[in-house]
Amino acid sequence: MDRNNLIVNPSFKTNTTGWSATGSSTIARITSEAFYGSSCLEVTKAAASNSGVVVASRILATAGLNYVIGAYVKITGLQQAGTLQANVAWYNSASGGSLISTSSSIALDVVPGDDWVRLTGTFAAPATAASALVSIVQPTAGTAGKKFLVDAVLFEQADYLGEYVDEVDQATENKYVNKGMTPLRSEEH
């Protein structure tokens, strides 16, 4: 089954294109940490609630179908512990229109120094949905200037959440699967 991650730039390979900070937060791509690949997104929070990051453009959605979200988050050593969640805001138009509702993952308490944790959710697009905005936020107010990391964001039309997939075409995926299944020659052991 072909899978399609609907997020533009889900693992921040070269920049932050396709993403915007929420409120007075700021975002930057860093290479000192990563869940997938060699970089991730660093969010510097504002003191307000819902500090975080949101996709810059609406994603087309089909009413009544199930969508899944997965995003890896981390709070590094000297930062402030926080509760993080993934949100999907559903709209009745591809652009303009009105917000119908917001679906949220379970909010997870993330402790500084812990490994990457995955925010997850499975949601049915509302009956009049035409598009969605995905965000990763700290839903309650925190300390301005404190940071959290985001990487490997997945949003796809599916009934269940699978492993993370990036912008990889089927031929490339087959190449790596075949390479991984090739036995080693005895001199390579």
Side-chain angles (χ1 to χ4, degrees):
M1 175 180 136
D2 287 339
R3 296 179 58 206
N4 184 19
N5 189 350
L6 301 171
I7 299 289
V8 172
N9 194 17
S11 60
F12 315 101
K13 290 178 186 171
T14 58
N15 54 38
T16 62
T17 297
W19 294 89
S20 298
T22 60
S24 298
S25 301
T26 60
I27 60 172
R29 177 185 169 269
I30 63 168
T31 57
S32 56
E33 292 272 354
F35 175 81
Y36 180 87
S38 60
S39 57
C40 71
L41 188 71
E42 179 181 70
V43 178
T44 303
K45 301 182 297 184
S49 60
N50 291 313
S51 290
V53 62
V54 62
V55 293
S57 299
R58 290 190 194 169
I59 300 164
L60 296 179
T62 302
L65 293 181
N66 287 335
Y67 287 81
V68 295
I69 187 167
Y72 286 90
V73 294
K74 182 177 183 177
I75 298 177
T76 58
L78 299 175
Q79 298 300 318
Q80 178 185 48
T83 301
L84 300 175
Q85 74 181 27
N87 297 323
V88 179
W90 303 101
Y91 291 84
N92 64 2
S93 176
S95 63
S98 301
L99 173 68
I100 300 167
S101 64
T102 300
S103 303
S104 299
S105 70
I106 294 174
L108 294 179
D109 292 328
V110 182
V111 177
D114 279 358
D115 204 356
W116 291 90
V117 295
R118 194 177 196 196
L119 304 173
T120 65
T122 303
F123 313 112
T128 58
S131 66
L133 281 178
V134 171
S135 61
I136 313 300
V137 300
Q138 179 175 307
T140 57
T143 303
K146 295 297 182 179
K147 300 174 183 187
F148 68 90
L149 307 178
V150 177
D151 201 6
V153 182
L154 171 68
F155 184 66
E156 67 179 329
Q157 190 281 305
D159 293 328
Y160 61 90
L161 181 64
E163 290 183 36
Y164 174 70
V165 292
D166 207 321
E167 306 146 316
V168 178
D169 62 35
Q170 192 64 50
T172 303
E173 186 175 331
N174 290 344
K175 173 184 160 191
Y176 287 109
V177 168
N178 291 338
K179 183 177 180 181
M181 296 178 70
T182 304
L184 295 174
R185 292 177 289 173
S186 60
E187 65 266 11
E188 293 178 327
H189 290 285

